[in-house]
Amino acid sequence: MVPQYRITATQKKTAAVMDLSDYQIRQVFFSRHLKPICGDYVTLTQDNDDYRIAEILPRNNVFSRADGQGRKQHLAANIDQILIIMAVSPEPTRDIINRYLVAAELNHIEPILVFNKIDLKSDFFINTAHTYRQLGYQVFMTSTQQADTIVELQKVLTHKTTLLAGQSGVGKSSLSNLLFPTLDLKTGDLAKKTGKGAHTTSVTRLYFDASQEAFLIDSPGVWEYGLWQLSPIEIVGGFREFQQFLGACKFSNCTHSHEPNCAIIQAVADGKINEKRYQSFIRICESMKYWHHTDY
Ligand SMILES: Nc1nc2c(ncn2[C@@H]2O[C@H](COP(=O)(O)OP(=O)(O)O)[C@@H](O)[C@H]2O)c(=O)[nH]1
Ligand SMILES: [Mg+2]
Ligand SMILES: [Zn+2]
């Protein structure tokens, strides 16, 4: 059965649902035990004049992030790929690319790296792009000022559901408006414009572009807290090129930080793992101590 309804946004007791046969949006109710999230496919029942969610169809995957306490929080479902957007300005903070990649890999969602605002400094991301292409990631260099830079990126969005991720101000909304001219995402600092602060930036919303049959999920607060609480054993699973060496460490519970006969540390020494990626892995493991309830 082809699903007919898809959640575009949720509120406390109601959700906005798109009818995929005519792309009309309607507000529907849901009972508390259901926890629908953006991107869910659902069935509806009608009671009196109201529509209500009857069932959430099984999810292919779920993208999660941390809440303020480091707990895993579901954000959006049934995502094919995640566009990880970085910019020349505001420049990426240390480890943020790897943190996003860990989140994507652990959620089993294909990450695509987009380095934006290259009009400001054309060579800014050249080395970084090279590093990540070598690891097998798709990398795009874009500028909203140079229309030709988004042509290839546009092609990978067709017929897919894509989650936009990236710090505030990197150009998520501006890029989306260019990629999907029928959409109208607000650009600039929304929080500043409305004066409503953090609340306005936490709305996850699904958009649809009929001409490209592409779904886009914009979640401005996606990186507010970053990765949820993870152990080194989980984090290492987010580093693609480490996988082939796992299992060869002396200790089965190796954290790959200090242990003797660690296959990861050896691979770094042999030049088989990029030293910078390894250092980043170590810092990400260390950063988990900021969540107070470390229990691994
Ligand atoms: N120079 C330049 N500015 C850009 C580019 N993309 C976005 N901007 C600007 O960066 C600011 C933030 O963009 P916005 O799309 O709102 O970022 P978001 O917070 O990630 O959605 C806006 O002033 C945009 O005009 C780009 O490729 N080059
Ligand atoms: Mg935006
Ligand atoms: Zn090890």
Side-chain angles (χ1 to χ4, degrees):
M1 189 188 79
V2 181
Q4 193 186 345
Y5 298 102
R6 193 166 194 193
I7 306 244
T8 63
T10 56
Q11 296 86 37
K12 257 197 176 116
K13 290 173 184 162
T14 61
V17 166
M18 183 184 284
D19 185 335
L20 300 176
S21 65
D22 60 8
Y23 310 128
Q24 296 303 307
I25 307 265
R26 71 172 96 225
Q27 292 292 325
V28 305
F29 289 90
F30 58 84
S31 58
R32 214 178 307 163
H33 71 277
L34 289 175
K35 292 191 172 64
I37 55 178
C38 189
D40 269 332
Y41 292 102
V42 297
T43 57
L44 302 182
T45 54
Q46 198 176 0
D47 49 1
N48 300 322
D49 288 342
D50 293 334
Y51 282 90
R52 179 172 290 281
I53 295 175
E55 192 189 5
I56 297 172
L57 301 181
R59 293 166 178 159
N60 293 331
N61 57 30
V62 176
F63 184 83
S64 307
R65 61 159 179 198
D67 68 9
Q69 274 79 49
R71 286 175 305 226
K72 191 175 181 177
Q73 185 184 48
H74 293 336
L75 198 77
N78 304 313
I79 298 157
D80 295 311
Q81 52 194 10
I82 166 169
L83 282 194
I84 299 173
I85 303 174
M86 304 286 149
V88 172
S89 166
E91 71 179 87
T93 54
R94 194 164 73 163
D95 300 326
I96 197 157
I97 300 178
N98 294 329
R99 287 176 160 269
Y100 271 119
L101 290 175
V102 168
E105 299 276 4
L106 296 184
N107 282 301
H108 305 291
I109 303 169
E110 181 64 21
I112 297 170
L113 294 172
V114 177
F115 297 124
N116 190 36
K117 305 199 193 184
I118 55 164
D119 56 291
L120 297 178
K121 202 169 187 298
S122 63
D123 59 355
F124 190 80
F125 282 116
I126 286 181
N127 290 336
T128 313
H130 179 69
T131 300
Y132 287 98
R133 280 190 181 122
Q134 279 197 320
L135 294 175
Y137 290 109
Q138 289 188 76
V139 176
F140 294 90
M141 308 253 238
T142 60
S143 164
T144 56
Q145 312 297 304
Q146 301 164 2
D148 58 307
T149 63
I150 66 155
V151 176
E152 292 305 310
L153 178 56
Q154 205 159 22
K155 288 180 189 162
V156 306
L157 305 179
T158 308
H159 303 302
K160 296 272 171 68
T161 297
T162 305
L163 176 76
L164 294 172
Q167 290 165 294
S168 175
V170 296
K172 293 182 296 299
S173 303
S174 313
L175 267 177
S176 307
N177 288 335
L178 273 184
L179 291 163
F180 303 103
T182 61
L183 304 185
D184 184 22
L185 277 68
K186 299 281 172 279
T187 60
D189 195 335
L190 194 64
K192 255 183 218 157
K193 274 184 199 157
T194 61
K196 279 184 193 161
H199 276 301
T200 46
T201 63
S202 59
V203 184
T204 303
R205 196 171 283 279
L206 178 86
Y207 297 89
F208 181 70
D209 179 87
S211 65
Q212 294 171 73
E213 280 196 44
F215 288 100
L216 201 66
I217 298 178
D218 189 16
S219 180
V222 73
W223 212 238
E224 208 174 344
Y225 301 108
L227 288 172
W228 59 101
Q229 176 80 30
L230 290 166
S231 70
I233 288 160
E234 291 171 298
I235 295 167
V236 84
F239 283 75
R240 248 179 210 192
E241 72 279 28
F242 293 15
Q243 303 314 301
Q244 58 178 306
F245 303 105
L246 294 178
C249 301
K250 181 177 180 186
F251 301 107
S252 63
N253 61 349
C254 189
T255 64
H256 322 297
S257 58
H258 62 276
E259 293 87 344
N261 297 331
C262 167
I264 298 290
I265 294 174
Q266 188 60 47
V268 176
D270 294 344
K272 291 174 184 164
I273 286 179
N274 179 327
E275 168 105 41
K276 282 188 184 160
R277 282 268 289 172
Y278 175 71
Q279 294 301 341
S280 183
F281 161 73
I282 294 295
R283 283 193 300 268
I284 293 171
C285 292
E286 292 276 314
S287 73
M288 291 297 157
K289 291 172 185 157
Y290 292 118
W291 300 125
H292 291 300
H293 49 91
T294 40
D295 50 10
Y296 56 80

Short mmCIF file of all heavy atoms in Angstrom, two decimals, residues 141-166:
data_model
loop_
_atom_site.label_atom_id
_atom_site.label_comp_id
_atom_site.label_asym_id
_atom_site.label_seq_id
_atom_site.Cartn_x
_atom_site.Cartn_y
_atom_site.Cartn_z
N MET A 141 30.73 22.10 -3.34
CA MET A 141 31.16 23.46 -2.98
C MET A 141 30.17 24.41 -3.64
O MET A 141 30.02 24.39 -4.87
CB MET A 141 32.55 23.72 -3.50
CG MET A 141 33.54 22.65 -3.09
SD MET A 141 34.64 23.23 -1.84
CE MET A 141 36.16 22.97 -2.67
N THR A 142 29.51 25.24 -2.83
CA THR A 142 28.42 26.05 -3.37
C THR A 142 28.52 27.52 -2.97
O THR A 142 29.23 27.88 -2.02
CB THR A 142 27.06 25.53 -2.86
OG1 THR A 142 27.05 25.63 -1.43
CG2 THR A 142 26.80 24.10 -3.27
N SER A 143 27.79 28.32 -3.72
CA SER A 143 27.58 29.72 -3.37
C SER A 143 26.23 30.13 -3.90
O SER A 143 25.90 29.82 -5.05
CB SER A 143 28.66 30.60 -3.99
OG SER A 143 28.23 31.95 -3.94
N THR A 144 25.47 30.80 -3.08
CA THR A 144 24.16 31.26 -3.55
C THR A 144 24.34 32.44 -4.52
O THR A 144 23.40 32.85 -5.17
CB THR A 144 23.26 31.69 -2.38
OG1 THR A 144 23.94 32.69 -1.63
CG2 THR A 144 22.95 30.52 -1.47
N GLN A 145 25.55 32.94 -4.61
CA GLN A 145 25.86 34.04 -5.54
C GLN A 145 26.26 33.52 -6.92
O GLN A 145 26.45 34.29 -7.85
CB GLN A 145 27.03 34.89 -5.00
CG GLN A 145 26.89 35.30 -3.55
CD GLN A 145 25.69 36.18 -3.32
OE1 GLN A 145 25.54 37.22 -3.96
NE2 GLN A 145 24.80 35.75 -2.44
N GLN A 146 26.50 32.20 -7.02
CA GLN A 146 26.97 31.61 -8.28
C GLN A 146 26.08 30.42 -8.63
O GLN A 146 26.29 29.31 -8.17
CB GLN A 146 28.44 31.16 -8.12
CG GLN A 146 29.38 32.31 -7.75
CD GLN A 146 30.74 31.83 -7.22
OE1 GLN A 146 31.02 30.63 -7.15
NE2 GLN A 146 31.57 32.78 -6.84
N ALA A 147 25.05 30.70 -9.45
CA ALA A 147 24.00 29.71 -9.73
C ALA A 147 24.54 28.38 -10.23
O ALA A 147 23.99 27.31 -9.92
CB ALA A 147 23.00 30.29 -10.72
N ASP A 148 25.62 28.42 -11.00
CA ASP A 148 26.15 27.16 -11.56
C ASP A 148 26.67 26.20 -10.50
O ASP A 148 26.77 25.00 -10.75
CB ASP A 148 27.25 27.47 -12.58
CG ASP A 148 28.40 28.26 -11.95
OD1 ASP A 148 28.13 29.31 -11.34
OD2 ASP A 148 29.55 27.81 -12.03
N THR A 149 26.98 26.71 -9.31
CA THR A 149 27.55 25.83 -8.27
C THR A 149 26.51 24.90 -7.63
O THR A 149 26.87 23.98 -6.91
CB THR A 149 28.22 26.63 -7.13
OG1 THR A 149 27.23 27.42 -6.47
CG2 THR A 149 29.34 27.52 -7.65
N ILE A 150 25.22 25.17 -7.88
CA ILE A 150 24.21 24.33 -7.22
C ILE A 150 23.55 23.32 -8.17
O ILE A 150 22.73 22.52 -7.74
CB ILE A 150 23.12 25.17 -6.53
CG1 ILE A 150 22.30 25.95 -7.56
CG2 ILE A 150 23.72 26.08 -5.47
CD1 ILE A 150 20.91 26.26 -7.03
N VAL A 151 23.95 23.36 -9.44
CA VAL A 151 23.30 22.48 -10.43
C VAL A 151 23.47 21.01 -10.07
O VAL A 151 22.49 20.24 -10.07
CB VAL A 151 23.86 22.77 -11.84
CG1 VAL A 151 23.27 21.79 -12.85
CG2 VAL A 151 23.56 24.20 -12.25
N GLU A 152 24.67 20.59 -9.75
CA GLU A 152 24.93 19.18 -9.43
C GLU A 152 24.26 18.77 -8.13
O GLU A 152 23.74 17.66 -8.00
CB GLU A 152 26.44 18.92 -9.35
CG GLU A 152 27.17 19.05 -10.68
CD GLU A 152 26.56 18.15 -11.76
OE1 GLU A 152 26.38 16.95 -11.48
OE2 GLU A 152 26.27 18.65 -12.87
N LEU A 153 24.27 19.67 -7.18
CA LEU A 153 23.64 19.39 -5.89
C LEU A 153 22.14 19.17 -6.07
O LEU A 153 21.55 18.25 -5.47
CB LEU A 153 23.90 20.56 -4.92
CG LEU A 153 23.27 20.46 -3.54
CD1 LEU A 153 23.68 19.19 -2.82
CD2 LEU A 153 23.65 21.68 -2.69
N GLN A 154 21.53 20.00 -6.91
CA GLN A 154 20.10 19.89 -7.17
C GLN A 154 19.72 18.47 -7.63
O GLN A 154 18.70 17.93 -7.22
CB GLN A 154 19.73 20.90 -8.25
CG GLN A 154 18.30 21.35 -8.22
CD GLN A 154 18.13 22.66 -8.93
OE1 GLN A 154 18.94 23.04 -9.78
NE2 GLN A 154 17.07 23.38 -8.59
N LYS A 155 20.58 17.88 -8.44
CA LYS A 155 20.28 16.55 -9.01
C LYS A 155 20.17 15.47 -7.94
O LYS A 155 19.40 14.52 -8.10
CB LYS A 155 21.36 16.15 -10.02
CG LYS A 155 21.30 16.96 -11.30
CD LYS A 155 22.40 16.53 -12.26
CE LYS A 155 22.47 17.49 -13.45
NZ LYS A 155 23.76 17.37 -14.15
N VAL A 156 20.96 15.57 -6.87
CA VAL A 156 20.93 14.50 -5.87
C VAL A 156 19.71 14.61 -4.94
O VAL A 156 19.49 13.74 -4.09
CB VAL A 156 22.23 14.42 -5.02
CG1 VAL A 156 23.46 14.30 -5.91
CG2 VAL A 156 22.36 15.59 -4.06
N LEU A 157 18.94 15.68 -5.08
CA LEU A 157 17.78 15.86 -4.20
C LEU A 157 16.48 15.31 -4.79
O LEU A 157 15.52 15.05 -4.07
CB LEU A 157 17.59 17.35 -3.88
CG LEU A 157 18.81 18.05 -3.29
CD1 LEU A 157 18.51 19.51 -3.04
CD2 LEU A 157 19.26 17.38 -2.00
N THR A 158 16.47 15.11 -6.10
CA THR A 158 15.26 14.65 -6.80
C THR A 158 14.81 13.29 -6.27
O THR A 158 15.63 12.39 -6.07
CB THR A 158 15.56 14.55 -8.31
OG1 THR A 158 16.12 15.80 -8.72
CG2 THR A 158 14.31 14.29 -9.11
N HIS A 159 13.50 13.18 -6.02
CA HIS A 159 12.87 11.93 -5.55
C HIS A 159 13.37 11.47 -4.17
O HIS A 159 13.23 10.30 -3.83
CB HIS A 159 13.08 10.78 -6.54
CG HIS A 159 12.58 11.07 -7.92
ND1 HIS A 159 11.28 11.41 -8.17
CD2 HIS A 159 13.23 11.12 -9.10
CE1 HIS A 159 11.14 11.64 -9.46
NE2 HIS A 159 12.31 11.48 -10.05
N LYS A 160 13.95 12.36 -3.41
CA LYS A 160 14.49 11.97 -2.11
C LYS A 160 13.89 12.82 -0.99
O LYS A 160 13.34 13.89 -1.23
CB LYS A 160 16.02 12.16 -2.10
CG LYS A 160 16.78 11.27 -3.09
CD LYS A 160 17.10 9.93 -2.44
CE LYS A 160 17.66 8.93 -3.43
NZ LYS A 160 18.98 9.26 -3.94
N THR A 161 14.05 12.33 0.24
CA THR A 161 13.76 13.15 1.42
C THR A 161 15.09 13.54 2.04
O THR A 161 15.87 12.68 2.43
CB THR A 161 12.92 12.38 2.45
OG1 THR A 161 11.65 12.05 1.87
CG2 THR A 161 12.69 13.21 3.71
N THR A 162 15.33 14.84 2.09
CA THR A 162 16.64 15.33 2.52
C THR A 162 16.50 16.20 3.77
O THR A 162 15.66 17.10 3.81
CB THR A 162 17.28 16.16 1.39
OG1 THR A 162 17.33 15.38 0.19
CG2 THR A 162 18.68 16.61 1.76
N LEU A 163 17.31 15.90 4.76
CA LEU A 163 17.33 16.73 5.97
C LEU A 163 18.45 17.75 5.85
O LEU A 163 19.57 17.41 5.48
CB LEU A 163 17.57 15.84 7.19
CG LEU A 163 17.73 16.56 8.54
CD1 LEU A 163 16.39 17.03 9.08
CD2 LEU A 163 18.40 15.66 9.56
N LEU A 164 18.13 19.01 6.13
CA LEU A 164 19.14 20.06 6.13
C LEU A 164 19.72 20.18 7.52
O LEU A 164 18.99 20.30 8.49
CB LEU A 164 18.51 21.41 5.79
CG LEU A 164 17.92 21.60 4.41
CD1 LEU A 164 17.19 22.94 4.37
CD2 LEU A 164 19.01 21.57 3.36
N ALA A 165 21.04 20.17 7.62
CA ALA A 165 21.66 20.37 8.91
C ALA A 165 22.78 21.39 8.77
O ALA A 165 23.42 21.48 7.72
CB ALA A 165 22.22 19.05 9.44
N GLY A 166 23.01 22.13 9.81
CA GLY A 166 24.08 23.12 9.75
C GLY A 166 23.80 24.22 10.75
O GLY A 166 22.65 24.47 11.12
#
